[in-house]
């Protein structure tokens, strides 16, 4: 096993894994900054969300499938193929001439990213026993958070100073270096000597169940109404496929996601807690910038500066948490501590309003980042420690799979709640003066917070309304900021409930002594 490698060789392998993780996590944040300019250059701004949806779908669906395959056939060549596929997708994205091509190639990148995500932490578990694993899992979590800090700034710099295509080409040297390091440093070890079947039917129904679900969650409340035929059909198809998936997996000899894992309370609580953590994490990351820009009135650059302390606190807390797990050999108390800090942070966030200052937001973000960072390494270590080494890739991939689903569910639920609250508040606030100026069928522009981020709209309105109405319009926009603050308050209130549930769950987390040697393969 990898555990028999020299310490120097282990560090080389770990370096390759860190480069692979940096590659996939940095790409997401860099591309998000550049996408408005990319979509404008290629045409088809209306398909902007598809570039993210394609990557998310391909990545999420790939995780359990390639985690399982790597358990059977070994991780080295799967990891290298994941990097290669990611680089190929990056190069083709950079060469894309239409939005359709870009969407397809982003899906290719997503499959590569899913392979990397499924195997990064599993490889760490191959190299280090659970008692030593915490500090290295913390470093992996820190890499992801660091990418969230550096990505937007790097993406902005490349987009403003180079051609947007370099947003994708920049991945190539990092990826080539990662392939070389992994190829040279990592030995090939087949994880299991026993003959194990590939669950092709299970893989097919994972795709059939979760693809329409993720599409429905991505489009619901934005591209289509939640009650539209498109969303209802997608959800119905997903539910039917999910039922069939459960039946198939119960009968499969060697299932992609063994439902027997859920008999293990550590796995069940780990999956549920990670699912809930992802809802809160994505809620904070997505809606704090909205609050800072829409309510406080900071620029996009300013909001990035304000959110940076959160990600830095995630990096620091994640590394410290990993070190503490390795030294103490315990994880339950840290899980309770982390979720308690997150709950306090969510309460602090829910108390923000129209008079909140940048300083208050930064403090709240640091507290939230600290709680998140403490929790990030815990469940991977706890779950891996509870299973034989030959299944570590499958259990790790399953945990990440459900965490990704939690992120998608969180974005959908929280976004739907924000939009519905804002819509109800804004309708009440529209003054009669404005109603007379803007036709009823066009008053829907006030239904979403986006109106607050469109300076051209305000300038256009000022030029088309009587001077006496300008003051009324300005006052109305200030009231809309209050409506947005109220809507985001509702988002954080849901976050309080979610984190409280996660905190209750971890009190029931069984704590096994962390092994100082690798587990048996069976």
């Amino acid at each position: 096993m990898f555990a028999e490698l020299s310490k120097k060789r282990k560090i080389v392998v770990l370096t390759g894994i860190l480069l692979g993780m940096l590659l996939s996590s940095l790409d997401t944040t860099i591309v998000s900054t550049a996408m408005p300019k990319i979509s404008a250059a290629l045409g088809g701004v209306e398909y902007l969300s598809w570039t993210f949806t394609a990557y998310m779908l391909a990545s999420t669906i790939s995780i359990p499938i390639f985690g399982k395959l790597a358990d059977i056939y070994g991780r080295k060549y799967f990891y290298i193929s994941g990097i290669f596929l990611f680089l190929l997708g990056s190069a083709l994205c950079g060469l894309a001439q239409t939005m359709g091509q870009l969407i397809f190639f982003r899906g290719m990148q997503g499959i590569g990213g899913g392979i990397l995500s499924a195997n990064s932490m599993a490889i760490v578990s191959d190299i280090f026993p659970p008692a030593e694993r915490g500090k290295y899992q913390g470093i992996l979590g820190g890499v992801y958070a660091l990418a969230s800090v550096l990505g937007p700034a790097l993406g902005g710099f490349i987009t403003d100073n180079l051609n947007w295509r370099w947003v994708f080409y920049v991945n190539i040297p990092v990826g080539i270096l990662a392939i070389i390091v992994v190829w040279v440093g990592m030995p090939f070890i087949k994880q299991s000597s026993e003959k194990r079947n590939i669950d092709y039917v299970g893989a097919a129904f994972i795709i059939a169940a979760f693809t329409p679900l993720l599409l429905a969650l991505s489009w619901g409340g934005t591209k289509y109404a939640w009650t539209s035929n498109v969303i209802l059909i997608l959800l119905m198809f997903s539910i039917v496929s999910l039922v069939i998936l459960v039946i198939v997996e119960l009968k499969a000899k060697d299932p992609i996601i063994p439902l027997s894992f859920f008999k293990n309370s550590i796995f069940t609580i780990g999956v549920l807690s990670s699912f809930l953590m992802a809802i809160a994490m994505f809620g904070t990351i997505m809606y704090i910038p909205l609050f800072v820009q829409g309510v406080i009135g900071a620029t996009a650059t300013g909001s990035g500066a304000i959110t940076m302390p959160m990600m830095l606190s995630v990096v620091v807390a994640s590394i410290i948490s990993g070190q503490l797990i390795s030294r103490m050999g315990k994880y339950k108390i840290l899980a309770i501590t982390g979720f308690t800090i997150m709950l306090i942070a969510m309460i602090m966030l829910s108390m923000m309003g129209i008079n909140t200052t940048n300083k208050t937001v930064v403090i709240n973000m640091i507290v939230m980042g600290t709680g998140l960072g403490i929790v990030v390494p815990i469940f991977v270590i706890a779950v891996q420690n509870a299973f034989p080494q030959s299944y570590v890739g499958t259990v790790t991939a399953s945990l990440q799979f459900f965490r990704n689903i939690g992120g998608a569910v969180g974005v959908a639920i929280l976004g739907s709640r924000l939009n519905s609250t804002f819509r109800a508040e804004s309708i009440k606030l529209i003054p009669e003066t404005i109603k007379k100026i803007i036709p009823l069928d066009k008053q829907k522009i006030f239904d979403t917070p986006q109106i607050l981020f469109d300076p051209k709209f305000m300038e256009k309105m000022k030029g088309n309304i009587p001077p006496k109405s300008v003051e009324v319009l300005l006052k109305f926009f200030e009231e809309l900021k209050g409506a947005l603050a109220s809507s985001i308050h509702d988002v954080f209130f849901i976050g309080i409930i979610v984190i409280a549930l996660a905190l209750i769950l971890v009190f029931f987390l069984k704590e096994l002594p962390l092994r100082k040697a690798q587990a048996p393969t069976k």
Side-chain angles (χ1 to χ4, degrees), residues 149-179:
V149 175
L150 296 178
L154 185 57
F157 175 82
I158 292 173
T159 305
D160 291 338
N161 296 281
L162 301 170
N163 189 292
W164 63 263
R165 297 181 187 276
W166 282 97
V167 167
F168 298 104
Y169 296 151
V170 74
N171 294 326
I172 295 173
V174 178
I176 291 173
L177 180 60
I179 288 175

Side-chain angles (χ1 to χ4, degrees), residues 130-210:
E132 299 178 23
R133 205 172 288 163
K135 53 188 174 183
Y136 300 106
Q137 299 283 22
I139 292 172
L140 291 183
V143 167
Y144 178 80
L146 187 63
S148 300
V149 175
L150 296 178
L154 185 57
F157 175 82
I158 292 173
T159 305
D160 291 338
N161 296 281
L162 301 170
N163 189 292
W164 63 263
R165 297 181 187 276
W166 282 97
V167 167
F168 298 104
Y169 296 151
V170 74
N171 294 326
I172 295 173
V174 178
I176 291 173
L177 180 60
I179 288 175
I180 293 170
V181 173
V182 173
W183 184 276
V184 172
M186 184 186 296
F188 172 72
I189 299 175
K190 192 173 181 179
Q191 299 299 310
S192 176
S193 58
E194 64 175 307
K195 183 175 175 60
R196 291 168 66 177
N197 298 313
I198 301 174
D199 181 17
Y200 293 110
V201 178
F205 275 100
I206 284 176
I207 295 171
F210 289 99

Side-chain angles (χ1 to χ4, degrees), residues 199 201-202 205 239-253 255 257 259:
D199 181 17
V201 178
F205 275 100
I239 291 169
V240 172
S241 299
L242 189 59
V243 171
I244 297 173
L245 173 64
V246 171
I247 295 171
V248 167
E249 295 298 84
L250 285 172
K251 294 181 178 181
K253 185 177 179 181
I257 302 179
L259 299 182

Side-chain angles (χ1 to χ4, degrees), residues 54-376:
Y55 187 94
M56 179 189 69
L57 273 173
S59 176
T60 302
I61 299 300
S62 298
I63 286 173
I65 296 172
F66 287 100
K68 182 71 172 184
L69 290 173
D71 265 350
I72 298 173
Y73 296 111
R75 305 194 210 288
K76 177 175 180 175
Y77 296 122
F78 273 105
Y79 200 79
I80 290 173
S81 67
I83 299 173
F84 178 79
L85 192 59
F86 192 91
L87 292 184
L88 179 61
S90 296
L92 291 172
C93 283
L95 295 171
Q97 301 299 311
T98 66
M99 283 296 284
Q101 291 177 7
L102 183 65
I103 290 165
F104 180 80
F105 297 140
R106 283 289 286 168
M108 184 183 295
Q109 271 191 306
I111 296 173
I115 297 172
L116 296 178
S117 181
N119 288 287
S120 294
M121 293 186 179
I123 292 172
V124 171
S125 74
D126 289 336
I127 301 173
F128 303 101
E132 299 178 23
R133 205 172 288 163
K135 53 188 174 183
Y136 300 106
Q137 299 283 22
I139 292 172
L140 291 183
V143 167
Y144 178 80
L146 187 63
S148 300
V149 175
L150 296 178
L154 185 57
F157 175 82
I158 292 173
T159 305
D160 291 338
N161 296 281
L162 301 170
N163 189 292
W164 63 263
R165 297 181 187 276
W166 282 97
V167 167
F168 298 104
Y169 296 151
V170 74
N171 294 326
I172 295 173
V174 178
I176 291 173
L177 180 60
I179 288 175
I180 293 170
V181 173
V182 173
W183 184 276
V184 172
M186 184 186 296
F188 172 72
I189 299 175
K190 192 173 181 179
Q191 299 299 310
S192 176
S193 58
E194 64 175 307
K195 183 175 175 60
R196 291 168 66 177
N197 298 313
I198 301 174
D199 181 17
Y200 293 110
V201 178
F205 275 100
I206 284 176
I207 295 171
F210 289 99
T211 298
L213 174 64
L214 292 172
L215 286 173
L217 293 175
S218 299
W219 293 342
T222 54
K223 188 176 180 64
Y224 302 101
W226 283 107
T227 54
S228 67
N229 289 336
V230 172
I231 300 300
L232 293 177
I233 290 171
L234 285 171
L235 291 175
M236 189 179 301
F237 189 87
S238 176
I239 291 169
V240 172
S241 299
L242 189 59
V243 171
I244 297 173
L245 173 64
V246 171
I247 295 171
V248 167
E249 295 298 84
L250 285 172
K251 294 181 178 181
K253 185 177 179 181
D254 203 359
I256 291 284
I257 302 179
L259 299 182
S260 60
F261 284 177
F262 287 96
K263 294 179 182 178
N264 185 309
S265 64
I266 295 176
F267 179 82
T268 302
I269 291 175
V271 163
L272 292 174
S273 299
S274 296
F275 181 89
L276 294 171
M277 179 186 72
I279 293 176
M281 180 174 70
F282 279 92
T284 305
I285 291 172
M286 286 197 66
Y287 297 112
I288 281 291
L290 191 67
F291 180 90
V292 171
Q293 293 180 51
V295 178
I296 297 179
T299 62
T301 303
S303 72
I306 289 173
T307 55
M308 189 177 290
M310 173 183 170
M311 303 316 297
L312 291 174
S313 64
V314 170
V315 174
V316 174
S318 180
I319 293 172
I320 293 174
S321 175
Q323 293 283 347
L324 288 174
I325 292 171
S326 293
R327 292 183 182 185
M328 298 189 305
K330 296 182 181 295
Y331 50 79
K332 182 173 180 177
I333 185 64
L334 287 170
I336 293 171
T337 302
F339 276 120
T340 300
I341 294 173
M342 286 178 68
L343 182 60
I344 293 169
M346 200 62 80
I347 293 170
M348 293 166 66
L349 289 168
S350 72
M351 295 171 66
M352 296 191 307
I354 197 165
N355 296 317
T356 298
T357 62
N358 288 344
K359 181 181 178 180
T360 301
V361 176
V362 169
I363 292 171
N364 295 348
M365 294 287 278
I366 291 173
V367 177
M368 175 57 78
T370 302
L372 266 172
I374 291 172
V375 172
V376 162

